[in-house]
Amino acid sequence: MIEQRQLSHLSFRQRALVAVTLFGMFFGAGNLIFPVHLGQLAGRNLFPATVGFVITAVGIPILGVAAIGNTHSDGLQALASKVGRRYSYIFTCLLYLTIGPCFAIPRCATTSFTTGIAPMLGTQISERFALFLFSAIFFALVLFFSLKPGNITLWIGKIINPLFLFFLAILIFSALLHPSTSIFAAIPDASYENGAFFHALSEGYGTMDAIAGLAFGIVVINVIRQMGVKKDEIIAKEVLHSGILAGLLMALIYMLTILIGAQSLGLFAISENGGIALSQISSHYLGKAGMLILAVTITFACLKTSLGLVTSCSETFEKMFPNRLSYTAWAVVFTAFSFFISNMGLSTIIRYSVPVLMLIYPPAITLILLALFGKHFEHSQNVYLWVTVFTWSASLFDFFKALPEQLQMALHLDLAVEFAERFLPFFDLNLGWIVPAFIGLIVGLMVQKKEAVVNVGMNF
């Protein structure tokens, strides 16, 4: 057997291939609904909003992939174990359930339906019943191909994704060449009149790509290893280089879709969600034929994403709990649960996902940052633990604030929100976790230093 030659670095072509792979994992049709809707909300304030959105929807996800490579971790659970063994199980389960059957997988089906099927429905059939039928067929296909993986995912990746990007490019250029209004005349929503940058930061949470980046990191690392790079230090650098290339492509698409969303205010009112907005814009510029083609490609793109998520979630849970359920059983459970959630509708899924994302994003961000800069404190568990404890404590208040007001009042959480508004700096900007996380860092460093002194004393 001929041993594969070890490389000191990847060629630009290889980096581009890894970047395209990473882009394909991150970018699905669901990633369009948030920037389009953001453009409608931001109006003429789209420039600061775009910067804020790109930071959380592109920058942090790429750093998440880099964090796995930088710590030489064998996936998310290994990285989270730096906080604690039990925590690694809890956080990994919570993250995979969020990007899996609770929100992201059902959102794939409802995005396809809202964008492609709902606009073509007549008055003969109710939208709720049509969603039920569509999601039943959608998840039947997801389950079939996830249980019998074959060339379907490769075929969709090579054919459907390029088609999807091709028709998206036609839509974007059509909108840019024939703008319905000047962006400077686009009146922003009241929530984006002031502080558009900070509002867009939390809007970027909706893509779920930052927490997905923690799950995708090991996949990218394995791809680079298969190309011949074996040293962990070089792999970490190549992950970052390829991530930057993928991030630039994602940022470009986000900027253009935010722009067409803002320009659409000359034609339509602000939509309930980005799926409706994308459908309206497609219908206006591409007509019924173009809209149908776009709907088909979006459906297959979402199908591909759902297949990948069901497969990765099932494999992860089978690995974490080897004596419980088989891969097949996990796949059936996750697909059935996703089908149930999808019938709540796109707007409902987005609305209920926001509080959960406000809860888990801050601990995910701090875990990423600690992993990237861990060499400065020797990846001490004390630092990981205290930063995580303080961050979770603060993010609970963000979770409370994002819940529906009726639920806040019923559970008397409005008092906790009022407390946070008074005493947590930057809480009104959805960044109330920053100061507590910094305090946790100081406490962790102090505990680490104290233990180091004690250990030195014991050696004498």
Side-chain angles (χ1 to χ4, degrees):
M1 180 181 293
I2 300 175
E3 186 176 349
Q4 185 181 30
R5 182 171 62 91
Q6 292 192 25
L7 302 178
S8 59
H9 62 84
L10 297 180
S11 65
F12 178 80
R13 183 177 180 180
Q14 288 174 315
R15 285 176 184 169
L17 181 60
V18 176
V20 170
T21 302
L22 186 58
F23 171 82
M25 288 191 293
F26 273 129
F27 204 91
N31 292 71
L32 293 178
I33 64 177
F34 291 99
V36 169
H37 190 55
L38 174 63
Q40 290 191 327
L41 292 171
R44 59 174 171 261
N45 294 331
L46 82 155
F47 296 110
T50 300
V51 175
F53 185 83
V54 168
I55 288 174
T56 50
V58 178
I60 295 176
I62 297 305
L63 291 179
V65 175
I68 299 293
N70 190 57
T71 55
H72 313 151
S73 299
D74 186 22
L76 171 62
Q77 189 178 2
L79 178 59
S81 67
K82 295 181 182 298
V83 179
R85 183 177 178 275
R86 290 183 180 178
Y87 179 79
S88 70
Y89 278 87
I90 295 172
F91 187 68
T92 302
C93 287
L94 182 59
L95 186 143
Y96 270 93
L97 289 175
T98 301
I99 64 171
C102 290
F103 299 111
I105 298 175
R107 195 178 71 187
C108 286
T110 53
T111 296
S112 302
F113 176 81
T114 303
T115 305
I117 306 300
M120 294 185 288
L121 291 177
T123 57
Q124 303 292 327
I125 184 172
S126 71
E127 187 170 317
R128 182 177 292 274
F129 182 66
L131 173 60
F132 177 84
L133 289 178
F134 176 83
S135 58
I137 297 171
F138 184 93
F139 284 111
L141 291 172
V142 168
L143 182 60
F144 176 80
F145 289 116
S146 63
L147 294 181
K148 296 182 178 181
N151 293 328
I152 181 67
T153 54
L154 183 63
W155 183 81
I156 291 176
K158 285 189 173 182
I159 305 297
I160 299 300
N161 264 356
L163 277 176
F164 170 64
L165 292 175
F166 174 73
F167 283 106
L168 175 63
I170 293 176
L171 173 61
I172 289 175
F173 282 115
S174 299
L176 293 180
L177 292 175
H178 304 92
S180 59
T181 185
S182 167
I183 58 173
F184 299 105
I187 300 175
D189 183 73
S191 60
Y192 277 78
E193 282 282 2
N194 299 298
F197 171 82
F198 294 103
H199 284 291
L201 279 175
S202 55
E203 191 74 18
Y205 290 178
T207 64
M208 303 188 194
D209 280 345
I211 53 179
L214 290 170
F216 292 156
I218 188 61
V219 178
V220 178
I221 289 170
N222 288 337
V223 170
I224 294 174
R225 282 176 178 158
Q226 291 170 5
M227 289 181 171
V229 177
K230 303 299 181 183
K231 292 185 178 180
D232 289 335
E233 294 77 10
I234 301 176
I235 290 175
K237 292 180 180 178
E238 293 298 343
V239 167
L240 184 58
H241 291 157
S242 300
I244 290 173
L245 291 176
L248 290 174
L249 180 57
M250 290 170 64
L252 175 63
I253 295 176
Y254 282 145
M255 287 187 287
L256 293 175
T257 48
I258 289 173
L259 180 58
I260 66 172
Q263 289 180 344
S264 72
L265 292 176
L267 297 167
F268 313 106
I270 296 176
S271 59
E272 184 181 357
N273 59 65
I276 295 173
L278 188 62
S279 176
Q280 290 174 331
I281 296 169
S282 301
S283 177
H284 176 78
Y285 286 104
L286 301 180
K288 290 186 177 180
M291 183 179 168
L292 178 61
I293 296 173
L294 190 64
V296 171
T297 55
I298 283 178
T299 299
F300 277 100
C302 285
L303 180 64
K304 176 187 68 68
T305 301
S306 297
L307 284 170
L309 290 174
V310 168
T311 301
S312 61
C313 288
S314 301
E315 289 176 346
T316 299
F317 274 74
E318 183 189 25
K319 182 180 178 181
M320 285 197 300
F321 309 106
N323 299 321
R324 301 295 174 87
L325 299 178
S326 65
Y327 168 85
T328 299
W330 282 119
V332 171
V333 169
F334 289 148
T335 304
F337 190 77
S338 299
F339 168 68
F340 171 75
I341 297 296
S342 68
N343 279 273
M344 295 182 178
L346 181 58
S347 296
T348 302
I349 292 173
I350 293 173
R351 183 165 61 251
Y352 280 96
S353 68
V354 170
V356 177
L357 294 174
M358 296 298 291
L359 175 68
I360 66 175
Y361 247 76
I365 292 172
T366 53
L367 181 63
I368 290 170
L369 295 176
L370 289 172
L372 291 173
F373 298 100
K375 65 179 182 180
H376 298 291
F377 54 86
E378 299 176 346
H379 289 283
S380 167
Q381 185 180 19
N382 286 315
V383 177
Y384 276 90
L385 176 62
W386 284 104
V387 170
T388 301
V389 167
F390 274 81
T391 303
W392 271 103
S393 300
S395 68
L396 276 172
F397 292 104
D398 289 319
F399 171 72
F400 296 155
K401 185 177 72 170
L403 290 171
E405 289 188 11
Q406 299 88 340
L407 189 57
Q408 288 184 34
M409 299 292 289
L411 299 177
H412 304 290
L413 298 176
D414 53 315
L415 300 177
V417 174
E418 290 178 8
F419 171 84
E421 288 174 343
R422 292 180 59 186
F423 297 104
L424 268 183
F426 314 120
F427 182 72
D428 58 324
L429 303 175
N430 297 322
L431 297 172
W433 56 272
I434 288 182
V435 172
F438 185 71
I439 294 174
L441 176 63
I442 295 174
V443 173
L445 290 172
M446 290 174 62
V447 173
Q448 178 198 18
K449 184 176 181 181
K450 183 177 179 180
E451 286 191 355
V453 172
V454 171
N455 291 333
V456 170
M458 291 178 64
N459 290 333
F460 284 97

PDB file of all heavy atoms in Angstrom, residues 142-167:
ATOM      1  N   VAL A 142     -37.139  12.379   3.248  1.00  0.00           N
ATOM      2  CA  VAL A 142     -35.995  12.559   4.162  1.00  0.00           C
ATOM      3  C   VAL A 142     -35.688  11.251   4.876  1.00  0.00           C
ATOM      4  O   VAL A 142     -34.526  10.821   4.942  1.00  0.00           O
ATOM      5  CB  VAL A 142     -36.293  13.680   5.183  1.00  0.00           C
ATOM      6  CG1 VAL A 142     -35.239  13.675   6.306  1.00  0.00           C
ATOM      7  CG2 VAL A 142     -36.309  15.037   4.498  1.00  0.00           C
ATOM      8  N   LEU A 143     -36.715  10.600   5.412  1.00  0.00           N
ATOM      9  CA  LEU A 143     -36.502   9.347   6.146  1.00  0.00           C
ATOM     10  C   LEU A 143     -36.008   8.242   5.217  1.00  0.00           C
ATOM     11  O   LEU A 143     -35.080   7.502   5.565  1.00  0.00           O
ATOM     12  CB  LEU A 143     -37.802   8.922   6.827  1.00  0.00           C
ATOM     13  CG  LEU A 143     -37.722   7.640   7.675  1.00  0.00           C
ATOM     14  CD1 LEU A 143     -36.702   7.803   8.800  1.00  0.00           C
ATOM     15  CD2 LEU A 143     -39.083   7.281   8.242  1.00  0.00           C
ATOM     16  N   PHE A 144     -36.588   8.140   4.039  1.00  0.00           N
ATOM     17  CA  PHE A 144     -36.199   7.092   3.099  1.00  0.00           C
ATOM     18  C   PHE A 144     -34.723   7.192   2.750  1.00  0.00           C
ATOM     19  O   PHE A 144     -33.987   6.197   2.821  1.00  0.00           O
ATOM     20  CB  PHE A 144     -37.054   7.182   1.832  1.00  0.00           C
ATOM     21  CG  PHE A 144     -36.654   6.196   0.764  1.00  0.00           C
ATOM     22  CD1 PHE A 144     -37.059   4.871   0.836  1.00  0.00           C
ATOM     23  CD2 PHE A 144     -35.857   6.591  -0.308  1.00  0.00           C
ATOM     24  CE1 PHE A 144     -36.685   3.960  -0.144  1.00  0.00           C
ATOM     25  CE2 PHE A 144     -35.483   5.684  -1.280  1.00  0.00           C
ATOM     26  CZ  PHE A 144     -35.897   4.363  -1.206  1.00  0.00           C
ATOM     27  N   PHE A 145     -34.278   8.393   2.381  1.00  0.00           N
ATOM     28  CA  PHE A 145     -32.896   8.545   1.939  1.00  0.00           C
ATOM     29  C   PHE A 145     -31.907   8.579   3.106  1.00  0.00           C
ATOM     30  O   PHE A 145     -30.738   8.234   2.933  1.00  0.00           O
ATOM     31  CB  PHE A 145     -32.747   9.807   1.086  1.00  0.00           C
ATOM     32  CG  PHE A 145     -33.385   9.693  -0.263  1.00  0.00           C
ATOM     33  CD1 PHE A 145     -34.441  10.496  -0.628  1.00  0.00           C
ATOM     34  CD2 PHE A 145     -32.934   8.747  -1.168  1.00  0.00           C
ATOM     35  CE1 PHE A 145     -35.040  10.384  -1.869  1.00  0.00           C
ATOM     36  CE2 PHE A 145     -33.526   8.617  -2.419  1.00  0.00           C
ATOM     37  CZ  PHE A 145     -34.583   9.441  -2.767  1.00  0.00           C
ATOM     38  N   SER A 146     -32.359   8.978   4.305  1.00  0.00           N
ATOM     39  CA  SER A 146     -31.460   8.955   5.461  1.00  0.00           C
ATOM     40  C   SER A 146     -31.242   7.522   5.947  1.00  0.00           C
ATOM     41  O   SER A 146     -30.187   7.208   6.510  1.00  0.00           O
ATOM     42  CB  SER A 146     -32.022   9.807   6.604  1.00  0.00           C
ATOM     43  OG  SER A 146     -33.254   9.292   7.062  1.00  0.00           O
ATOM     44  N   LEU A 147     -32.223   6.640   5.703  1.00  0.00           N
ATOM     45  CA  LEU A 147     -32.063   5.227   6.070  1.00  0.00           C
ATOM     46  C   LEU A 147     -31.324   4.442   4.996  1.00  0.00           C
ATOM     47  O   LEU A 147     -30.714   3.411   5.281  1.00  0.00           O
ATOM     48  CB  LEU A 147     -33.434   4.587   6.312  1.00  0.00           C
ATOM     49  CG  LEU A 147     -34.221   5.107   7.512  1.00  0.00           C
ATOM     50  CD1 LEU A 147     -35.539   4.370   7.641  1.00  0.00           C
ATOM     51  CD2 LEU A 147     -33.410   4.977   8.784  1.00  0.00           C
ATOM     52  N   LYS A 148     -31.400   4.933   3.758  1.00  0.00           N
ATOM     53  CA  LYS A 148     -30.701   4.278   2.646  1.00  0.00           C
ATOM     54  C   LYS A 148     -29.873   5.311   1.889  1.00  0.00           C
ATOM     55  O   LYS A 148     -30.183   5.683   0.756  1.00  0.00           O
ATOM     56  CB  LYS A 148     -31.700   3.614   1.696  1.00  0.00           C
ATOM     57  CG  LYS A 148     -32.484   2.483   2.325  1.00  0.00           C
ATOM     58  CD  LYS A 148     -33.412   1.828   1.317  1.00  0.00           C
ATOM     59  CE  LYS A 148     -34.158   0.654   1.938  1.00  0.00           C
ATOM     60  NZ  LYS A 148     -35.058  -0.019   0.976  1.00  0.00           N
ATOM     61  N   PRO A 149     -28.830   5.801   2.551  1.00  0.00           N
ATOM     62  CA  PRO A 149     -28.019   6.827   1.890  1.00  0.00           C
ATOM     63  C   PRO A 149     -27.339   6.270   0.659  1.00  0.00           C
ATOM     64  O   PRO A 149     -26.812   5.168   0.652  1.00  0.00           O
ATOM     65  CB  PRO A 149     -26.989   7.209   2.969  1.00  0.00           C
ATOM     66  CG  PRO A 149     -26.914   6.012   3.855  1.00  0.00           C
ATOM     67  CD  PRO A 149     -28.285   5.415   3.864  1.00  0.00           C
ATOM     68  N   GLY A 150     -27.391   7.039  -0.396  1.00  0.00           N
ATOM     69  CA  GLY A 150     -26.762   6.609  -1.638  1.00  0.00           C
ATOM     70  C   GLY A 150     -26.277   7.811  -2.405  1.00  0.00           C
ATOM     71  O   GLY A 150     -25.739   8.750  -1.830  1.00  0.00           O
ATOM     72  N   ASN A 151     -26.511   7.819  -3.699  1.00  0.00           N
ATOM     73  CA  ASN A 151     -26.039   8.909  -4.549  1.00  0.00           C
ATOM     74  C   ASN A 151     -26.962  10.127  -4.537  1.00  0.00           C
ATOM     75  O   ASN A 151     -26.637  11.136  -5.160  1.00  0.00           O
ATOM     76  CB  ASN A 151     -25.883   8.421  -5.992  1.00  0.00           C
ATOM     77  CG  ASN A 151     -24.778   7.395  -6.129  1.00  0.00           C
ATOM     78  OD1 ASN A 151     -23.797   7.452  -5.395  1.00  0.00           O
ATOM     79  ND2 ASN A 151     -24.945   6.467  -7.062  1.00  0.00           N
ATOM     80  N   ILE A 152     -28.101  10.027  -3.847  1.00  0.00           N
ATOM     81  CA  ILE A 152     -29.060  11.125  -3.897  1.00  0.00           C
ATOM     82  C   ILE A 152     -28.467  12.421  -3.340  1.00  0.00           C
ATOM     83  O   ILE A 152     -28.633  13.495  -3.914  1.00  0.00           O
ATOM     84  CB  ILE A 152     -30.360  10.746  -3.140  1.00  0.00           C
ATOM     85  CG1 ILE A 152     -31.383  11.886  -3.215  1.00  0.00           C
ATOM     86  CG2 ILE A 152     -30.071  10.408  -1.682  1.00  0.00           C
ATOM     87  CD1 ILE A 152     -31.909  12.138  -4.583  1.00  0.00           C
ATOM     88  N   THR A 153     -27.745  12.330  -2.200  1.00  0.00           N
ATOM     89  CA  THR A 153     -27.188  13.548  -1.613  1.00  0.00           C
ATOM     90  C   THR A 153     -26.105  14.133  -2.506  1.00  0.00           C
ATOM     91  O   THR A 153     -26.001  15.351  -2.654  1.00  0.00           O
ATOM     92  CB  THR A 153     -26.600  13.253  -0.221  1.00  0.00           C
ATOM     93  OG1 THR A 153     -25.658  12.181  -0.318  1.00  0.00           O
ATOM     94  CG2 THR A 153     -27.694  12.857   0.753  1.00  0.00           C
ATOM     95  N   LEU A 154     -25.303  13.245  -3.121  1.00  0.00           N
ATOM     96  CA  LEU A 154     -24.261  13.716  -4.034  1.00  0.00           C
ATOM     97  C   LEU A 154     -24.891  14.367  -5.260  1.00  0.00           C
ATOM     98  O   LEU A 154     -24.462  15.420  -5.725  1.00  0.00           O
ATOM     99  CB  LEU A 154     -23.371  12.544  -4.452  1.00  0.00           C
ATOM    100  CG  LEU A 154     -22.181  12.869  -5.353  1.00  0.00           C
ATOM    101  CD1 LEU A 154     -21.208  13.787  -4.637  1.00  0.00           C
ATOM    102  CD2 LEU A 154     -21.480  11.591  -5.787  1.00  0.00           C
ATOM    103  N   TRP A 155     -25.960  13.738  -5.766  1.00  0.00           N
ATOM    104  CA  TRP A 155     -26.641  14.269  -6.945  1.00  0.00           C
ATOM    105  C   TRP A 155     -27.251  15.634  -6.646  1.00  0.00           C
ATOM    106  O   TRP A 155     -27.114  16.571  -7.434  1.00  0.00           O
ATOM    107  CB  TRP A 155     -27.723  13.291  -7.376  1.00  0.00           C
ATOM    108  CG  TRP A 155     -28.442  13.708  -8.626  1.00  0.00           C
ATOM    109  CD1 TRP A 155     -28.026  13.542  -9.918  1.00  0.00           C
ATOM    110  CD2 TRP A 155     -29.698  14.376  -8.693  1.00  0.00           C
ATOM    111  NE1 TRP A 155     -28.953  14.062 -10.784  1.00  0.00           N
ATOM    112  CE2 TRP A 155     -29.992  14.585 -10.062  1.00  0.00           C
ATOM    113  CE3 TRP A 155     -30.618  14.817  -7.744  1.00  0.00           C
ATOM    114  CZ2 TRP A 155     -31.153  15.207 -10.494  1.00  0.00           C
ATOM    115  CZ3 TRP A 155     -31.771  15.439  -8.176  1.00  0.00           C
ATOM    116  CH2 TRP A 155     -32.037  15.629  -9.528  1.00  0.00           C
ATOM    117  N   ILE A 156     -27.904  15.740  -5.523  1.00  0.00           N
ATOM    118  CA  ILE A 156     -28.511  17.018  -5.153  1.00  0.00           C
ATOM    119  C   ILE A 156     -27.430  18.076  -4.966  1.00  0.00           C
ATOM    120  O   ILE A 156     -27.572  19.228  -5.378  1.00  0.00           O
ATOM    121  CB  ILE A 156     -29.361  16.872  -3.867  1.00  0.00           C
ATOM    122  CG1 ILE A 156     -30.604  16.036  -4.165  1.00  0.00           C
ATOM    123  CG2 ILE A 156     -29.777  18.236  -3.328  1.00  0.00           C
ATOM    124  CD1 ILE A 156     -31.463  15.752  -2.950  1.00  0.00           C
ATOM    125  N   GLY A 157     -26.318  17.677  -4.323  1.00  0.00           N
ATOM    126  CA  GLY A 157     -25.249  18.634  -4.078  1.00  0.00           C
ATOM    127  C   GLY A 157     -24.617  19.146  -5.359  1.00  0.00           C
ATOM    128  O   GLY A 157     -24.264  20.314  -5.462  1.00  0.00           O
ATOM    129  N   LYS A 158     -24.483  18.259  -6.367  1.00  0.00           N
ATOM    130  CA  LYS A 158     -23.813  18.658  -7.610  1.00  0.00           C
ATOM    131  C   LYS A 158     -24.753  19.316  -8.617  1.00  0.00           C
ATOM    132  O   LYS A 158     -24.314  20.099  -9.449  1.00  0.00           O
ATOM    133  CB  LYS A 158     -23.160  17.428  -8.254  1.00  0.00           C
ATOM    134  CG  LYS A 158     -21.892  16.969  -7.543  1.00  0.00           C
ATOM    135  CD  LYS A 158     -21.178  15.900  -8.361  1.00  0.00           C
ATOM    136  CE  LYS A 158     -19.827  15.558  -7.750  1.00  0.00           C
ATOM    137  NZ  LYS A 158     -19.093  14.558  -8.554  1.00  0.00           N
ATOM    138  N   ILE A 159     -26.035  18.976  -8.547  1.00  0.00           N
ATOM    139  CA  ILE A 159     -26.986  19.494  -9.537  1.00  0.00           C
ATOM    140  C   ILE A 159     -27.873  20.593  -8.951  1.00  0.00           C
ATOM    141  O   ILE A 159     -27.960  21.704  -9.498  1.00  0.00           O
ATOM    142  CB  ILE A 159     -27.874  18.362 -10.094  1.00  0.00           C
ATOM    143  CG1 ILE A 159     -27.006  17.237 -10.667  1.00  0.00           C
ATOM    144  CG2 ILE A 159     -28.834  18.915 -11.130  1.00  0.00           C
ATOM    145  CD1 ILE A 159     -26.150  17.660 -11.843  1.00  0.00           C
ATOM    146  N   ILE A 160     -28.512  20.296  -7.841  1.00  0.00           N
ATOM    147  CA  ILE A 160     -29.504  21.219  -7.292  1.00  0.00           C
ATOM    148  C   ILE A 160     -28.868  22.480  -6.718  1.00  0.00           C
ATOM    149  O   ILE A 160     -29.362  23.591  -6.958  1.00  0.00           O
ATOM    150  CB  ILE A 160     -30.359  20.515  -6.226  1.00  0.00           C
ATOM    151  CG1 ILE A 160     -31.111  19.343  -6.850  1.00  0.00           C
ATOM    152  CG2 ILE A 160     -31.340  21.494  -5.578  1.00  0.00           C
ATOM    153  CD1 ILE A 160     -32.045  19.757  -7.978  1.00  0.00           C
ATOM    154  N   ASN A 161     -27.789  22.319  -5.972  1.00  0.00           N
ATOM    155  CA  ASN A 161     -27.160  23.517  -5.391  1.00  0.00           C
ATOM    156  C   ASN A 161     -26.698  24.504  -6.460  1.00  0.00           C
ATOM    157  O   ASN A 161     -26.959  25.704  -6.349  1.00  0.00           O
ATOM    158  CB  ASN A 161     -25.992  23.115  -4.480  1.00  0.00           C
ATOM    159  CG  ASN A 161     -26.432  23.039  -3.031  1.00  0.00           C
ATOM    160  OD1 ASN A 161     -27.570  23.354  -2.698  1.00  0.00           O
ATOM    161  ND2 ASN A 161     -25.532  22.610  -2.160  1.00  0.00           N
ATOM    162  N   PRO A 162     -25.994  24.062  -7.500  1.00  0.00           N
ATOM    163  CA  PRO A 162     -25.641  25.006  -8.567  1.00  0.00           C
ATOM    164  C   PRO A 162     -26.864  25.637  -9.228  1.00  0.00           C
ATOM    165  O   PRO A 162     -26.851  26.832  -9.551  1.00  0.00           O
ATOM    166  CB  PRO A 162     -24.857  24.142  -9.562  1.00  0.00           C
ATOM    167  CG  PRO A 162     -24.294  23.040  -8.740  1.00  0.00           C
ATOM    168  CD  PRO A 162     -25.330  22.751  -7.706  1.00  0.00           C
ATOM    169  N   LEU A 163     -27.938  24.837  -9.439  1.00  0.00           N
ATOM    170  CA  LEU A 163     -29.164  25.393 -10.006  1.00  0.00           C
ATOM    171  C   LEU A 163     -29.772  26.441  -9.078  1.00  0.00           C
ATOM    172  O   LEU A 163     -30.221  27.501  -9.526  1.00  0.00           O
ATOM    173  CB  LEU A 163     -30.188  24.274 -10.252  1.00  0.00           C
ATOM    174  CG  LEU A 163     -30.051  23.482 -11.544  1.00  0.00           C
ATOM    175  CD1 LEU A 163     -31.087  22.360 -11.581  1.00  0.00           C
ATOM    176  CD2 LEU A 163     -30.204  24.385 -12.761  1.00  0.00           C
ATOM    177  N   PHE A 164     -29.770  26.133  -7.807  1.00  0.00           N
ATOM    178  CA  PHE A 164     -30.301  27.053  -6.808  1.00  0.00           C
ATOM    179  C   PHE A 164     -29.549  28.381  -6.844  1.00  0.00           C
ATOM    180  O   PHE A 164     -30.143  29.466  -6.884  1.00  0.00           O
ATOM    181  CB  PHE A 164     -30.188  26.400  -5.424  1.00  0.00           C
ATOM    182  CG  PHE A 164     -30.484  27.312  -4.276  1.00  0.00           C
ATOM    183  CD1 PHE A 164     -31.756  27.853  -4.107  1.00  0.00           C
ATOM    184  CD2 PHE A 164     -29.500  27.643  -3.356  1.00  0.00           C
ATOM    185  CE1 PHE A 164     -32.041  28.690  -3.044  1.00  0.00           C
ATOM    186  CE2 PHE A 164     -29.769  28.471  -2.292  1.00  0.00           C
ATOM    187  CZ  PHE A 164     -31.050  29.004  -2.137  1.00  0.00           C
ATOM    188  N   LEU A 165     -28.223  28.311  -6.856  1.00  0.00           N
ATOM    189  CA  LEU A 165     -27.408  29.530  -6.887  1.00  0.00           C
ATOM    190  C   LEU A 165     -27.571  30.256  -8.227  1.00  0.00           C
ATOM    191  O   LEU A 165     -27.532  31.491  -8.274  1.00  0.00           O
ATOM    192  CB  LEU A 165     -25.938  29.176  -6.643  1.00  0.00           C
ATOM    193  CG  LEU A 165     -25.613  28.673  -5.230  1.00  0.00           C
ATOM    194  CD1 LEU A 165     -24.148  28.250  -5.148  1.00  0.00           C
ATOM    195  CD2 LEU A 165     -25.905  29.748  -4.189  1.00  0.00           C
ATOM    196  N   PHE A 166     -27.773  29.486  -9.309  1.00  0.00           N
ATOM    197  CA  PHE A 166     -27.949  30.097 -10.631  1.00  0.00           C
ATOM    198  C   PHE A 166     -29.224  30.938 -10.666  1.00  0.00           C
ATOM    199  O   PHE A 166     -29.210  32.105 -11.087  1.00  0.00           O
ATOM    200  CB  PHE A 166     -27.990  29.002 -11.706  1.00  0.00           C
ATOM    201  CG  PHE A 166     -28.319  29.509 -13.079  1.00  0.00           C
ATOM    202  CD1 PHE A 166     -27.390  30.235 -13.814  1.00  0.00           C
ATOM    203  CD2 PHE A 166     -29.563  29.253 -13.644  1.00  0.00           C
ATOM    204  CE1 PHE A 166     -27.686  30.707 -15.082  1.00  0.00           C
ATOM    205  CE2 PHE A 166     -29.873  29.715 -14.917  1.00  0.00           C
ATOM    206  CZ  PHE A 166     -28.935  30.444 -15.628  1.00  0.00           C
ATOM    207  N   PHE A 167     -30.342  30.356 -10.225  1.00  0.00           N
ATOM    208  CA  PHE A 167     -31.605  31.099 -10.237  1.00  0.00           C
ATOM    209  C   PHE A 167     -31.608  32.216  -9.199  1.00  0.00           C
ATOM    210  O   PHE A 167     -32.230  33.262  -9.405  1.00  0.00           O
ATOM    211  CB  PHE A 167     -32.780  30.149 -10.017  1.00  0.00           C
ATOM    212  CG  PHE A 167     -33.128  29.354 -11.231  1.00  0.00           C
ATOM    213  CD1 PHE A 167     -32.817  28.006 -11.316  1.00  0.00           C
ATOM    214  CD2 PHE A 167     -33.743  29.959 -12.317  1.00  0.00           C
ATOM    215  CE1 PHE A 167     -33.123  27.272 -12.446  1.00  0.00           C
ATOM    216  CE2 PHE A 167     -34.052  29.232 -13.460  1.00  0.00           C
ATOM    217  CZ  PHE A 167     -33.739  27.892 -13.523  1.00  0.00           C
TER     218      PHE A 167
END
